[in-house]
């Protein structure tokens, strides 16, 4: 399962995100997408964790928490429609 983190501060870096989520368990992957044209952050990220129970705990605990000045949205990521 992949976790979607929305409404991220544009100051957030991969290391910051991994730091928050690693307190819930092992983070196996973190992606912080950038805009193609400008290279700027898009304001959201994706995190994969090693254990589904830890992922759910992170989602439950971090949903609508203020982090870096913004109330982040933390949900299960939906599959990408190609």
């Amino acid at each position: 399962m992949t976790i979607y983190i929305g409404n991220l501060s544009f100051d957030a870096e991969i290391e910051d995100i991994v730091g928050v989520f690693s307190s819930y368990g092992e983070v196996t992957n973190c992606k912080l997408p950038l805009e193609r044209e400008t290279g700027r952050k898009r304001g959201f990220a994706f995190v994969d964790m090693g254990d589904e129970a830890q992922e759910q705990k992170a989602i439950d605990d971090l949903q609508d928490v203020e982090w870096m000045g913004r109330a982040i949205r933390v949900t299960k990521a939906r599959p990408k429609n190609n």
Side-chain angles (χ1 to χ4, degrees):
M1 175 173 74
T2 300
I3 299 171
Y4 166 84
I5 306 103
N7 200 35
L8 274 178
S9 167
F10 292 104
D11 294 328
E13 299 291 342
I14 287 177
E15 296 80 19
D16 300 321
I17 299 163
V18 170
V20 170
F21 283 85
S22 65
S23 65
Y24 292 92
E26 179 189 6
V27 174
T28 58
N29 193 21
C30 181
K31 295 178 188 166
L32 186 60
L34 304 175
E35 291 182 4
R36 288 187 189 133
E37 297 81 26
T38 65
R40 291 179 28 193
K41 296 172 193 157
R42 297 180 65 192
F44 62 90
F46 298 97
V47 170
D48 294 323
M49 297 180 71
D51 181 81
E52 195 168 327
Q54 293 170 343
E55 289 178 336
Q56 190 59 55
K57 175 82 169 129
I59 291 169
D60 293 342
D61 288 358
L62 296 173
Q63 175 64 354
D64 294 321
V65 167
E66 186 171 324
W67 185 60
M68 298 183 94
R70 301 186 77 166
I72 59 174
R73 291 186 346 202
V74 182
T75 61
K76 291 182 182 181
R78 293 182 292 206
K80 185 176 180 178
N81 293 332
N82 290 334

